[in-house]
Structures are given as structure tokens and as C-alpha cells.
Amino acid sequence: MEKQVVDGLREVFQSGRSKPLQYRKQQLRALHRLITERQADIEQALKQDLNRNTYNTSLFELISIENDIKSAERDMADWAAPRSVKKNLNSALDDVYIKPEPLGVVLIIGTWNYPWAMILQPLVGAIAAGNAAVLKPSELSEHSARLVKELLPLYLDKDMYQVVTGGVPETQELLKQRFDHIFYTGSSTVGKLVMEAAARHLTPVTLELGGKSPCYVDKNCDIAVACRRITWGKFANCGQTCIAPDYILCEPSIQDRIVEEIQKTLLEFYQKDPKSSPDYCRIINTRHFDRVLALMNECTIALGGESDCSQCYIAPTVLKDVLPHFKIMQEEIFGPLLPIVTVNGLSEAINFINAREKPLALYVFSSDKTVIKRMLTETSSGGVTVNDVLMHYTIDTLPFGGVGNSGMGRYHGRHTFDQLSHHRACLIKSFAMESLNDARYPPLTAARLSKAKFFTQHRLCSCSGICVWAVIATLLAIGLLVALIVVLI
Amino acid sequence: MSREQKAVDRARKAFLTGRSKSLEYRVTQLKNLLRFVRERQSEIAEGLKKDLGRSEGGTPLYETLGLESEINLAVKYLKEWAAPRPVSKSMMTISDQVYIQPEPLGVALVIGAWNYPWAVTVGPLIGAIAAGNAAVIKPSEVSSHTSKVMEDLLPLYLDKELYPVVTGGVTETQELLKQRFDHIFYTGNGTVAKIIMEAAAKHLTPTTLELGGKSPCYIDNNCDLAIACRRIAWGKYSNCGQTCIAPDYILCDPSMQDRVIEEIKKNIKEFYTEDPKKCLDYGRIINQRHFKRLMALLEGSTIAVGGENDESECYIGPTVLRDVKPDAKVMQEEIFGPLLPILTVSGADEAIKFINQREKPLALYIFTSDNKLIKRMIAETSSGGVVANDCLMHFSVSSLPFGGVGHSGMGQYHGKYGFDNLSHLRGCLIKQLKMEGVNKMRYPPHTADKLGWARFFILKHVDFGSLGRMALVALMAVFVAVILQRYFTD
């Protein structure tokens, strides 16, 4: 079945249907209609999957998708146009440019924590770049998976974009097929299997994985504001966010203050009983519930700790004086437990971070520019937000992705388009000036070689339209300024 | 610990000292590499002569000139490439710092090939060094003399801990592939590439695979055939056809075939004299195995030009085959030798169909004076790169990304692309701890009002670029107004 799906999509792709930008824009508009017209259904599915409420759904999923659709529609012509490049003397008279082209059939494997954003944001880029796509939503967020399978063919061209649902066997069957790009969001363990399967067909991959995103709180900062932001980022979606601040690193002297501020903020956000707050979510299923609960075992609970397995509910929890060898520090938490590990200053924090795998995100809170500079230059991570959490995700001009164990490739906005395109180098010469080519033809004499050397060594600038206008405008402005000064004096 | 493990370990330790972070250090290494290329021309040329029968002129033209150019480019622009790259902001980030910071990945593995051993082994190394990485260099054992030159001489110029040369064959490569790298850059064939990517998957290591394929060359009726054939003959028979982007086969109208053969024959004579075997500029097949492979490809096809061979010298003369059928042996694999099959097709439509039925090639060549046809062929096919009215030349334009697509590879390099390919482009958002009031709209308890504000700030698109330009124009208009007023009232 999976083979038929992929073969069918490839055939339709090869007919050239998705080449015209008009077609792609039309599909994107249809996708926009899907998420606006069926918002209530989507909210209902998410409530059943994760106890997400309506505002959460919009804020964390639909707005990002909408943003990507809008910018793709607005800028597609620019993204898809040939991009001129600098020439050298050899190619001075030629047409030299990079042409973005669709890859073919893209496989998008989603995950369950933000089931709509993780599937549809890559899809926006796949559509904009002119590809066909197979979507494989995560079976763990089963209501969302069922709904996306039902809705997509009602809005989008079902010959170009199909949804395949199922679990491990269906995914394995899909991975046996040949794709032109595989976009996977999920765990590092499965990421390796996806890349291995892709290797058999020489298929390039984008892997958006995870890791333990550290959050360093410097003693020199507005701790109240810092904790407010950290609390928001940690406990949103019940901690099930790939870029949630996984654990805090701070000096022992401020640990108590941090616990106090987080407690204050939790009260404000979720009131006395988070279980009855409409804004507090649930763990996705009992397996993860058990997993997360077990991570608390050796730890000292400073806040929270309550749980209710019948609802997969775990209260917002803060753990203090956590030691590096505890279980909770051995895997990505992906739940509402916030361990605090104390370190004696910035150097120890940096060493701690560097002794571990490169995380997907890094957070540092400080008013001290030198602390920020040191932290950024001496560590590596997928992305970084200073003095806040999660927010680099929302900026579509920043490439979003991991490094090392946290992933490879990047997306959002134009970056998704570029990631799911082939950037074809094009050099258009004419038959004229053949004598210039003598330098390269045998017999290779010394004279010919020095001519060849001359032509390859020197570069020309690319005089694009904007560059010319900028130069003219600047000269004009300076001229006017001078005239103004002369006249006024 | 195996020798390979030790080399990787040492490279990682050296990387972790942080010494390759400084731009000065990287520039010093690049300049040393440049000195090496210039000072050791004769050793390099000697190795290439023994490996591939490369003439003395062939060394700079096909290998070292390109490297010098790339090194000079990297040295000149490194500061710019490595600097933070600001990106356009939104209403939400108007008071923040938002930029992309390029960073080194760590330890790269560069696996070279034997056909242009310097260009495809040291070429990627330039990007690795510029990006601040350590790199383990594994030259191809098939070009054994060159491999020895690299092993003996590179450590005399480059930091031998950061950039070790590890030589060896399949066993040593397999041992290397067990180690953990932060990027693997491989140039070679698709079969081995799959093995490499599979090995890389175990460590979640990203890969750049510069592979090959059958690069088609379409000759339209409407073109300057003499010049076209000159350029094709050069591109095909350089390095005895052992070029990943050599025009693999020709597609043309039956009516053109005889003339094409005639023109190519003329150029072969001009380039390589009546007896290419004696000509210094004509190379040799790398080894017996490939010689035998190529001779076997001739089976079933009609030789129009050439066909002479001498196994003892691994010599195969520049050869053209006519009226080749799609199912001929020579059309089943990348030739990588001096055999040029001509297949006849009736027009561009059939040519495009023929090309699209096959794997996406590394390069596509189109010879025509009809610009519309060039556009059409580019729009209706796909390939790593494309050159109209010439061969190979896109390789030397460093502002063009060089790489394959589909079975011809993944990832790109040359110039800034080499740098970016071996860097991590880290998204950075620097906020301040003030203006906390603005964040209210994102905090629970969530309300419709708050959501409305969030939507407004995130979705409202403000083009600060054009706003800025408009403000500038308004300011200039004010200046003009003041000047004119002064002028007329004076």
C-alpha cells in the first residue's frame, strides 16, 4: 500500500503539476482554510490527545503554521526565482545563477507533542518548494492523526499530498520506499533508524531531534522575570516541548530564590490546583507518565510532585540539589519536572554543558554581557535564546534545527523552502570568445597556463539591481547633505 | 586503540583546546596550505604523473590552480563568513538582537577520490579549516603515489594533530567509519556512499556525498557545431575521461551524428596529435581493473573513432561510439573513461524524456544557440549543475554551489558553500529582561483578548527594509525642500 502511495505521488509530481507558483499558492491557501475553518475540530482533537485548551492550541500550533503560510505566499516568487551570484573573469560574459528546484516526493514524519505544527510547518515548505508529500502523523496523538487524515484530502490536492497513518510497521514500510527527502521530528534513537533507511536510497534527511536543553541562571540578573519566563517555557504543554528548558544550572546561593519565584509564578499561571486549570495539559499516555514519574525517584521535591495516573496528570514540579548522576539527568525529561543542579559559577556551568551532547536549545539568563558572550562562544547548541525561552522558534528568519545528537538540517520560513529544494548551479555561456578558451586546451604550454591562471584568480562583484540603487541613493544623499550644509552656512 | 582511533582522538582533543576557533589561526593554516601547494608543485606533479599519466601542465590547470583560488578566497572573506549574520526582525523582536552565528562542527572526515586527488581531497579540507574544524584526511589508496605525497608532506605544513592524514584501503576506511565524526565529506561512487551514510547514521553524523552518474550532453541542430565539439572533446578526454562531471554521452539528431564525429575527430587530433599514446597531455586509466572494465563496455557498440588500447600501459585512445542503443553495455553505468557514445534522438522532447527516465546526473550539458531551448531543458530536467554551451566550467565558479541531487549526491561546496557546509549555523536571539509587560499575552491564564494581541504581534508583517527606505526618501525630500527654499529666498 505504501509503495503504491509513493509511486502514485511520484507520477503526479513528474507530470509537473506542482511547478507553477500559482498552483503552490493555491494549495497553501487551501491549507490556510483548513486550519481556520476546522479550528474547532483541531482544538477538540488536541484536547483529547493532550488536554490542550483552545488558546493553547492557537498559541502554540496554529499561529506558527499560519505565519509560515503567510510568509510563503508573500515571498514565494522571491524564494523560487533564480539567484544571481558573483562571477569571475572567466565567466564575466556569462549568465551565472542558482536555480531552486523541487526535489520530488518528500516524507514528513511528525511527532505527538505539537502534532499539527510538526507536520504542517514542514508541509508548508514542501508545498512552497514544489514537492509532493507523504505525511505520517504520530500514532501517539491518535485523535489528531485521525483528523489530519480525514481533513487533508478535503482541502489539498490528494494526488500530490497524502496522509498515511499507522504505527511502527507502517512507518517501517514507508521507510523502505524511495523518497527525495525525509523530514523527521522525534527522538535520536529513531532518528538513527530513519537515517539508516534513507542511506539505502541516498535520500537526504532533516532530523529535528532533542536532548537536554540547559538553562543557566546567572546570579546577576532579574531573577523574578527570569523565573517567570522559564516557568512559562517549561510547563507549557506539560513540559512536552523539544526546546523546553530541561534543567536549571545556578549557583547554590540563588537556588532558594529561584524555587520561590517559580512557585509564585505557578500560582499565577495555574492557580492553587493546576489539575483543575484549563490551561494545564496532561502527559500524552501512561507509558510516558510512568517514565516521567520514575525520574523523580532519587530527587528532593521542592515544589509539586503530585500525580494522578488515571488522568496522566503530573503537577508542575521543581526538584532541588539534583546531582549529575541522577536518573533525571541521564535522559531528556519531556515532562513537567524541573531539576535544579547547582554549580559554582559560569566556568563550571560551561564545563557541565560541554561534557554532554550538544542540545537543541541553550538558555542563559544574565544582565552581564560578558557572561552571555562567554556562554555563547564556549558552547554549542542547535539554537540559543538569551533572557527568555522558546522564542527563537517563533522567528522565521532564524534557521531552526539541531547539531550533533540534537539533529541535522533546519527549517522555518524560507529555510524550509531551501531545505526542501535543490539549489542547481547554472552557467549559461555563448559560443563567442572561443579564443579565451585556448588557455585550457592541450597542448598545455607555459603561456597557456599563465593565461588560465589570470582568468581564474580574479573575481568580479555581482552588480545586482539593489546594489546599484543603494550606491546611487547613498551618493545622492551625501550630495544633498553637503548642499544643505553649504546652504545653511 | 587502532591507529585510526588514535588519529581521531588526537584530532578531537586538539579541537577541544579551542585553538582552531581563532580566525588568525585558521588563516595561518590556510596560508600554510597555499605555501605547500606552491612550494611542492614538482612533488605533486610527480605523484600525479605516476598515478594518472598527468602531464606537467595538467597539474596546475586541473588541480592546484583551483585550490589556490579557493584558499585565497577563504583567506580574503573568512572574517565576513565567520561573522554573525543579522536577520530581519519582526514587531516582537524589534528591540532584540537576532542573528545567525556560524560555528565549527568539530572533527570532520574527508574521504578523497583518485581522479583529481588534490582537488577533491584538499578542496573540502579548505572549507573544513576555514570553518574552524579539525579534519581527518583519508586520501584514496587507488592514487597511491599522491596519497604518499599527502601523507609525507602535508604534516610539514599543517597542524598535524588537527589535520592528520590517514592512509590505507578498505579496512582502514572501515575502521575510520566506526569512529564518531561531526561531519563526513565523501567523494566517490554511489555504492560506497550508501555504506558511508549508513555508518554515519549510527552517530547521527551529517554527510556530504559528492557522487556521479551519467552526465548527458545534448547537441541541438541549431548551434555552432565546431565550437561545441571542441569544448565537448576537451571536457570528455581531459584526465582520460575520468572526471565526475565529464560529458558521459551525447544525444543528438541522426542528421548531425556524422558531423559531430568529424568535428570531435578533428579536435582529438589537434589536442593530442595523431598518436595520443605518445602525447604528454593525454593521460592513462588509473589501473588494470578500470582498464578491463572500460574495455568490456565497448562490447556491442560501433567504434567511429579511436578504440586503440594497450593493457600494459593502461592506455585507451580517445574513442567515439556511434548509433549506440539505450540498452548497450556502455549506457548501463557511468563510463569514467575516454569512450564517448552518441545516441540519436529526434529532437529536444525525446532528449528530455530520455534524460528524465534515468537517475538525476551530477551535470547536464546543453549545446544550442536557442536561449528558449536552454530554459526549457533546464526547467524540464534536474541535475546537480548545468552548463549551457560548454563543459565542466561550473566547477571553477566558486560562487556556485557544487554538488549533486538524488543519486548524484547531497550537500554542496566551493567558496562560501564549503564554509557553510562544514559549519553549524546557530540561530541566536538575545533579549533583555525588561519589557516584561509585553509577554503577558503569552502567559496563562489564557484569554481571547491575550490571544488576539499575540496573533497581532506574530502575524503582522512589517517590512522594516522598505520602511527604512521610505524614511530615507522622505528625509532626502525634506533636505531638497530646505535647500530650494533657501536658494529661492536668498
Side-chain angles (χ1 to χ4, degrees):
Chain A
M1 188 272 269
E2 283 79 8
K3 182 167 198 317
Q4 268 177 315
V5 167
V6 181
D7 284 348
L9 287 173
R10 180 154 284 115
E11 214 180 299
V12 179
F13 169 78
Q14 277 164 351
S15 72
R17 194 187 297 185
S18 60
K19 275 218 156 96
L21 299 192
Q22 259 318 100
Y23 171 87
R24 305 180 203 180
K25 285 188 186 171
Q26 195 189 65
Q27 295 302 309
L28 287 176
R29 279 194 283 267
L31 187 62
H32 190 219
R33 278 203 325 271
L34 189 163
I35 61 174
T36 34
E37 285 173 16
R38 311 304 287 250
Q39 187 169 334
D41 295 323
I42 295 173
E43 286 165 358
Q44 174 66 0
L46 282 167
K47 180 144 186 74
Q48 290 173 291
D49 285 327
L50 290 148
N51 197 41
R52 198 80 80 61
N53 77 9
T54 54
Y55 305 116
N56 262 329
T57 292
S58 250
L59 195 62
F60 292 114
E61 303 224 37
L62 304 183
I63 293 183
S64 315
I65 302 170
E66 213 179 317
N67 199 20
D68 268 7
I69 293 176
K70 279 205 155 101
S71 69
E73 265 188 274
R74 186 182 62 235
D75 297 328
M76 195 191 294
D78 188 41
W79 297 350
R83 307 172 186 183
S84 32
V85 298
K86 287 188 188 179
K87 307 187 200 185
N88 57 20
L89 276 180
N90 245 333
S91 47
L93 299 172
D94 310 324
D95 223 352
V96 193
Y97 58 91
I98 299 168
K99 180 163 180 291
E101 296 183 337
L103 288 169
V105 183
V106 176
L107 171 63
I108 300 171
I109 303 177
T111 186
W112 51 262
N113 61 340
Y114 295 92
W116 294 86
M118 300 293 104
I119 277 262
L120 296 185
Q121 271 187 279
L123 178 62
V124 170
I127 296 175
N131 300 296
V134 174
L135 273 66
K136 166 63 188 70
S138 168
E139 67 278 19
L140 265 63
S141 44
E142 51 176 323
H143 299 94
S144 295
R146 213 177 305 133
L147 188 62
V148 87
K149 183 161 173 109
E150 182 197 317
L151 294 183
L152 211 80
L154 301 179
Y155 287 81
L156 263 53
D157 184 345
K158 57 170 96 62
D159 296 330
M160 288 286 287
Y161 317 105
Q162 288 204 25
V163 180
V164 173
T165 48
V168 173
E170 287 79 8
T171 310
Q172 284 173 333
E173 194 54 41
L174 265 179
L175 286 171
K176 288 196 191 129
Q177 312 313 317
R178 182 176 173 185
F179 291 95
D180 299 286
H181 196 102
I182 298 178
F183 193 112
Y184 168 76
T185 307
S187 76
S188 306
T189 315
V190 178
K192 292 179 183 174
L193 298 173
V194 171
M195 189 172 170
E196 232 176 271
R200 291 190 197 100
H201 293 291
L202 289 172
T203 300
V205 298
T206 303
L207 306 173
E208 296 277 333
L209 310 174
K212 293 182 77 61
S213 298
C215 181
Y216 177 67
V217 182
D218 188 38
K219 61 177 182 284
N220 186 359
C221 86
D222 185 337
I223 294 187
V225 174
C227 290
R228 211 169 148 72
R229 297 177 180 186
I230 293 170
T231 306
W232 168 71
K234 177 65 178 189
F235 299 109
N237 209 35
C238 210
Q240 297 163 118
T241 307
C242 50
I243 42 169
D246 189 276
Y247 62 97
I248 289 178
L249 289 169
C250 69
E251 287 190 37
S253 55
I254 53 170
Q255 190 179 208
D256 287 331
R257 177 93 206 277
I258 289 177
V259 173
E260 193 186 307
E261 288 297 334
I262 294 180
Q263 186 170 36
K264 250 195 258 170
T265 312
L266 282 172
L267 198 60
E268 187 197 319
F269 287 176
Y270 305 115
Q271 297 83 55
K272 268 195 126 128
D273 182 22
K275 198 173 179 186
S276 47
S277 161
D279 295 318
Y280 193 71
C281 301
R282 297 293 180 265
I283 303 297
I284 183 76
N285 62 22
T286 38
R287 181 168 75 84
H288 280 280
F289 173 86
D290 291 334
R291 178 188 68 78
V292 175
L293 214 59
L295 293 178
M296 273 201 278
N297 280 343
E298 309 142 285
C299 308
T300 312
I301 299 176
L303 291 176
E306 303 88 7
S307 62
D308 177 353
C309 69
S310 69
Q311 278 195 36
C312 284
Y313 166 79
I314 299 179
T317 303
V318 177
L319 309 158
K320 61 184 283 178
D321 297 314
V322 173
L323 297 176
H325 65 270
F326 283 5
K327 196 154 189 249
I328 199 169
M329 291 305 291
Q330 309 316 315
E331 61 180 80
E332 185 175 358
I333 296 168
F334 228 68
L337 315 180
L338 180 52
I340 304 177
V341 178
T342 55
V343 286
N344 297 318
L346 182 61
S347 297
E348 203 185 309
I350 290 175
N351 288 342
F352 189 95
I353 293 167
N354 287 341
R356 288 158 177 74
E357 293 294 345
K358 294 175 188 176
L360 185 54
L362 177 80
Y363 301 112
V364 46
F365 287 83
S366 178
S367 317
D368 184 347
K369 286 202 168 85
T370 46
V371 168
I372 296 171
K373 187 155 190 241
R374 258 198 79 196
M375 183 58 96
L376 293 188
T377 42
E378 295 179 38
T379 61
S380 187
S381 64
V384 111
T385 296
V386 173
N387 291 328
D388 207 340
V389 295
L390 311 189
M391 293 307 285
H392 61 292
Y393 184 95
T394 65
I395 300 168
D396 67 359
T397 44
L398 280 180
F400 182 80
V403 64
N405 258 23
S406 53
M408 59 181 78
R410 48 192 177 258
Y411 74 126
H412 282 182
R414 186 192 189 141
H415 302 286
T416 324
F417 177 92
D418 282 346
Q419 182 89 158
L420 296 173
S421 299
H422 169 53
H423 297 269
R424 192 179 192 187
C426 301
L427 173 59
I428 318 295
K429 295 180 86 81
S430 72
F431 289 104
M433 311 286 271
E434 178 62 0
S435 57
L436 282 182
N437 283 338
D438 276 345
R440 72 193 197 193
Y441 296 137
L444 295 171
T445 62
R448 284 189 166 180
L449 277 173
S450 58
K451 197 174 170 192
K453 193 169 183 175
F454 178 78
F455 279 102
T456 48
Q457 302 286 34
H458 295 86
R459 290 184 107 213
L460 294 178
C461 73
S462 70
C463 288
S464 65
I466 293 176
C467 172
V468 172
W469 276 112
V471 170
I472 292 176
T474 313
L475 289 174
L476 211 62
I478 294 173
L480 282 173
L481 194 63
V482 169
L484 185 69
I485 293 170
V486 165
V487 155
L488 288 176
I489 291 172
Chain B
M1 236 207 235
S2 66
R3 163 182 159 253
E4 290 75 23
Q5 225 176 331
K6 279 201 198 119
V8 179
D9 251 19
R10 231 186 337 227
R12 190 166 293 281
K13 284 200 174 76
F15 173 78
L16 290 172
T17 64
R19 65 177 180 264
S20 61
K21 266 215 158 102
S22 92
L23 300 190
E24 291 78 45
Y25 185 85
R26 304 181 204 179
V27 167
T28 309
Q29 293 299 309
L30 287 171
K31 285 188 168 152
N32 288 348
L33 190 58
L34 187 64
R35 257 189 324 117
F36 165 79
V37 166
R38 287 183 177 156
E39 285 174 12
R40 301 296 186 151
Q41 278 276 302
S42 55
E43 284 97 332
I44 294 173
E46 173 99 27
L48 285 169
K49 181 152 186 70
K50 290 191 184 140
D51 284 327
L52 290 148
R54 197 73 72 71
S55 71
E56 211 173 313
T59 293
L61 190 66
Y62 295 112
E63 307 244 22
T64 58
L65 266 185
L67 291 180
E68 284 187 57
S69 174
E70 285 278 318
I71 295 170
N72 284 328
L73 198 73
V75 167
K76 182 171 182 196
Y77 289 100
L78 187 58
K79 202 158 173 218
E80 190 188 298
W81 294 351
R85 304 173 189 181
V87 297
S88 45
K89 305 194 203 184
S90 65
M91 293 239 276
M92 299 240 308
T93 48
I94 192 159
S95 54
D96 307 325
Q97 271 177 41
V98 196
Y99 59 91
I100 299 169
Q101 175 64 57
E103 296 180 344
L105 287 169
V107 183
L109 170 62
V110 177
I111 302 178
W114 52 261
N115 59 340
Y116 294 90
W118 294 96
V120 307
T121 314
V122 176
L125 177 64
I126 296 169
I129 297 176
N133 301 295
V136 174
I137 304 151
K138 164 67 187 69
S140 168
E141 69 279 16
V142 179
S143 46
S144 54
H145 299 95
T146 301
S147 176
K148 186 112 199 355
V149 174
M150 285 185 189
E151 187 178 25
D152 290 342
L153 298 184
L154 272 177
L156 303 179
Y157 290 79
L158 295 178
D159 183 326
K160 49 171 95 55
E161 286 177 339
L162 276 176
Y163 317 110
V165 178
V166 176
T167 51
V170 173
T171 324
E172 287 78 10
T173 310
Q174 283 173 334
E175 185 59 31
L176 269 177
L177 287 170
K178 287 196 193 127
Q179 313 311 317
R180 184 176 177 184
F181 291 95
D182 300 287
H183 195 102
I184 298 179
F185 194 115
Y186 168 74
T187 305
N189 69 64
T191 315
V192 176
K194 289 178 183 177
I195 299 172
I196 290 184
M197 192 172 166
E198 236 176 271
K202 297 200 171 65
H203 294 290
L204 287 171
T205 300
T207 55
T208 302
L209 307 172
E210 295 277 334
L211 312 176
K214 293 182 76 62
S215 298
C217 181
Y218 175 68
I219 306 178
D220 188 41
N221 291 6
N222 178 6
C223 84
D224 185 333
L225 201 57
I227 294 180
C229 290
R230 200 169 160 74
R231 298 177 179 183
I232 293 170
W234 168 71
K236 178 65 178 189
Y237 300 112
S238 296
N239 208 33
C240 216
Q242 297 161 119
T243 307
C244 50
I245 43 169
D248 189 277
Y249 62 96
I250 288 177
L251 292 169
C252 71
D253 201 88
S255 60
M256 303 259 289
Q257 193 178 205
D258 288 329
R259 249 209 91 195
V260 168
I261 293 171
E262 193 187 307
E263 288 293 334
I264 293 183
K265 193 171 180 185
K266 243 196 267 173
N267 283 298
I268 291 174
K269 187 160 164 213
E270 189 193 315
F271 294 164
Y272 306 116
T273 72
E274 292 271 9
D275 188 7
K277 198 173 178 189
K278 295 205 174 72
C279 175
L280 286 174
D281 289 320
Y282 191 71
R284 294 292 181 267
I285 303 302
I286 184 75
N287 60 22
Q288 293 265 319
R289 179 168 76 85
H290 280 281
F291 174 90
K292 289 196 168 92
R293 177 186 68 80
L294 286 163
M295 291 309 296
L297 291 181
L298 286 171
E299 194 188 306
S301 295
T302 314
I303 298 178
V305 177
E308 312 86 40
N309 58 85
D310 179 352
E311 191 166 339
S312 67
E313 276 192 46
C314 285
Y315 167 80
I316 300 178
T319 303
V320 180
L321 308 165
R322 61 175 300 145
D323 296 311
V324 176
K325 299 274 171 287
D327 58 354
K329 266 193 141 179
V330 75
M331 289 305 290
Q332 305 317 312
E333 60 180 80
E334 184 176 357
I335 296 167
F336 227 68
L339 317 178
L340 180 52
I342 304 178
L343 285 85
T344 54
V345 287
S346 38
D349 284 337
E350 205 186 314
I352 290 172
K353 209 161 155 218
F354 188 94
I355 293 167
N356 287 342
Q357 280 167 345
R358 288 159 176 74
E359 293 294 344
K360 295 175 188 177
L362 186 53
L364 173 71
Y365 300 112
I366 311 162
F367 285 84
T368 178
S369 309
D370 180 356
N371 282 328
K372 279 212 181 84
L373 177 61
I374 295 175
K375 275 204 158 68
R376 218 192 114 202
M377 285 205 88
I378 294 179
E380 294 181 29
T381 61
S382 187
S383 64
V386 86
V387 183
N389 299 325
D390 207 339
C391 293
L392 315 188
M393 293 306 286
H394 60 305
F395 189 92
S396 67
V397 181
S398 56
S399 47
L400 280 177
F402 182 80
V405 64
H407 275 197
S408 53
M410 59 180 79
Q412 307 170 311
Y413 74 127
H414 284 177
K416 186 177 183 190
Y417 295 98
F419 176 91
D420 281 357
N421 198 35
L422 290 167
S423 298
H424 170 52
L425 299 173
R426 191 185 198 185
C428 300
L429 170 60
I430 319 292
K431 294 179 83 80
Q432 307 202 34
L433 285 163
K434 28 191 201 199
M435 304 272 280
E436 179 61 0
V438 184
N439 284 338
K440 255 198 153 134
M441 57 185 161
R442 73 191 200 195
Y443 295 143
H446 295 301
T447 63
D449 251 5
K450 281 182 175 181
L451 187 64
W453 279 110
R455 278 186 61 92
F456 176 76
F457 276 102
I458 297 176
L459 293 175
K460 187 99 190 89
H461 175 78
V462 181
D463 187 351
F464 290 111
S466 67
L467 268 187
R469 285 192 288 276
M470 285 200 299
L472 194 66
V473 170
L475 199 64
M476 290 195 339
V478 168
F479 280 2
V480 172
V482 172
I483 293 166
L484 286 177
Q485 192 225 29
R486 279 299 190 116
Y487 181 75
F488 281 115
T489 56
D490 271 348

